[in-house]
Amino acid sequence: MNGGLQLSDELIGTFAPIIVYWLYSGVYVLLGSLENYRLHTKKDEDEKNLVSKMDVVKGVLLQQAVQAVVATILFAMNLLSTQVTGSDTDPTQTQQTSLIVLARQFLVAMMVLDTWQYFMHRYMHHNKFLYRHIHSQHHRLIVPYAFGALYNHPVEGLLLDTIGGALSFLISGMSPRASIFFFSFATLKTVDDHCGLWLPGNLFHLLFRNNSAYHDIHHQLYGNKYNFSQPFFVMWDRILGTYMPYSLEKRSKGGFEARPTKDSKEN
């Protein structure tokens, strides 16, 4: 007898990344007192940022509400398309090829999301109107922290994150179930890039050159026109000359500081 509540993949795919965002951010809030691993001091976080944490929470919740609406529409269109074309696959075949297919879909989705976000992000920096009225909202966080990762102007949230996510879902051809894992992973990565900490053994730091220190450079005035890549690779920055290398230096009073290297200052 199956009388329990059953949640569809589409419903989980819509809300899992939101839940993951706040849970993972919450972990970093608890770890924020570890001054020996911070990229900026707690004092700098409180004094240099140009927006209150309450406003950041409100802004993030607004963006996530928009994302949830778009995800619901996207999943509904995908379901309708499947019903019209009758493209359901054989379960046996799906099971045999699932790992290969999933790996390919994840890689394609990562590349699509990175490409879309790099060029949109870079354009928002170089177009003075878009930067002043839209993207500058995110840069009110001069000292990034975890739950501010998605603090953006609603237009930017729609253009950069929501449409970018929709394109990665559609082009990769992943299923709603696969999207649960992909977008939850992408959310973890985005939060980690803004966490403001350099923790030993962090897997994201070991696997990706695009990490919290790399993105911290971009949030500083000297790195404002560099390190646009997000959230996974640094490929486009390297190819198009916007890569700013850095070194991690220990501060005398504890913690780390990401500093541009001599090579980057010459560019």
Side-chain angles (χ1 to χ4, degrees):
M1 182 176 179
N2 295 326
L5 178 64
Q6 297 207 356
L7 301 177
S8 68
D9 291 340
E10 290 82 2
L11 185 63
I12 298 173
T14 299
F15 292 101
I18 297 174
I19 296 170
V20 166
Y21 182 93
W22 291 107
L23 287 177
Y24 197 46
S25 295
V27 171
Y28 275 121
V29 170
L30 295 176
L31 296 175
S33 60
L34 299 176
E35 285 289 340
N36 286 336
Y37 300 103
R38 292 180 63 97
L39 296 174
H40 297 269
T41 65
K42 188 68 169 63
K43 181 181 178 182
D44 282 346
E45 180 183 306
D46 293 336
E47 293 181 356
K48 290 186 176 181
N49 286 335
L50 306 176
V51 59
S52 71
K53 291 184 176 178
M54 181 56 68
D55 284 341
V56 168
V57 170
K58 292 176 182 177
V60 172
L61 289 174
L62 175 60
Q63 175 165 332
Q64 289 175 330
V66 173
Q67 286 180 336
V69 171
V70 173
T72 301
I73 296 171
L74 190 65
F75 285 138
M77 292 173 59
N78 184 66
L79 180 61
L80 180 62
S81 175
T82 300
Q83 292 174 340
V84 170
T85 60
S87 58
D88 290 337
T89 56
D90 176 35
T92 305
Q93 183 182 3
T94 301
Q95 187 175 15
Q96 291 174 346
T97 61
S98 60
L99 288 179
I100 298 174
V101 171
L102 278 175
R104 175 181 59 78
Q105 290 175 340
F106 268 52
L107 183 58
V108 170
M110 291 167 79
M111 295 298 292
V112 170
L113 190 58
D114 260 33
T115 300
W116 176 263
Q117 293 214 350
Y118 175 85
F119 287 101
M120 287 299 298
H121 186 194
R122 183 173 178 176
Y123 184 65
M124 285 188 176
H125 272 270
H126 287 275
N127 183 297
K128 292 181 180 179
F129 177 85
L130 290 178
Y131 185 82
R132 184 181 300 115
H133 297 285
I134 295 177
H135 187 57
S136 63
Q137 178 169 323
H138 182 69
H139 281 272
R140 292 175 187 172
L141 292 177
I142 298 166
V143 178
Y145 49 79
F147 66 85
L150 291 183
Y151 175 67
N152 300 308
H153 189 283
V155 173
E156 177 178 350
L158 180 64
L159 291 176
L160 204 68
D161 299 313
T162 306
I163 293 180
L167 288 172
S168 63
F169 172 76
L170 293 171
I171 294 174
S172 68
M174 66 174 60
S175 67
R177 178 164 297 181
S179 77
I180 297 171
F181 299 98
F182 175 73
F183 288 114
S184 293
F185 174 67
T187 298
L188 289 172
K189 180 68 173 60
T190 300
V191 169
D192 205 86
D193 290 347
H194 290 81
C195 71
L197 294 170
W198 190 265
L199 294 173
N202 185 322
L203 288 178
F204 287 122
H205 294 171
L206 297 174
L207 296 174
F208 296 95
R209 291 297 303 271
N210 197 334
N211 49 46
S212 56
Y214 185 84
H215 194 66
D216 182 75
I217 290 289
H218 175 72
H219 272 259
Q220 308 314 308
L221 184 61
Y222 54 75
N224 196 256
K225 296 292 177 66
Y226 297 90
N227 294 9
F228 297 111
S229 293
Q230 57 185 47
F232 299 111
F233 309 115
V234 299
M235 175 186 69
W236 288 114
D237 277 321
R238 284 190 176 277
I239 293 173
L240 297 175
T242 54
Y243 176 81
M244 178 176 277
Y246 65 90
S247 62
L248 270 179
E249 309 289 341
K250 283 193 173 183
R251 292 197 304 267
S252 59
K253 295 183 179 180
F256 297 93
E257 181 181 353
R259 296 178 181 173
T261 61
K262 292 181 180 179
D263 291 340
S264 64
K265 291 177 181 177
E266 295 171 359
N267 291 334

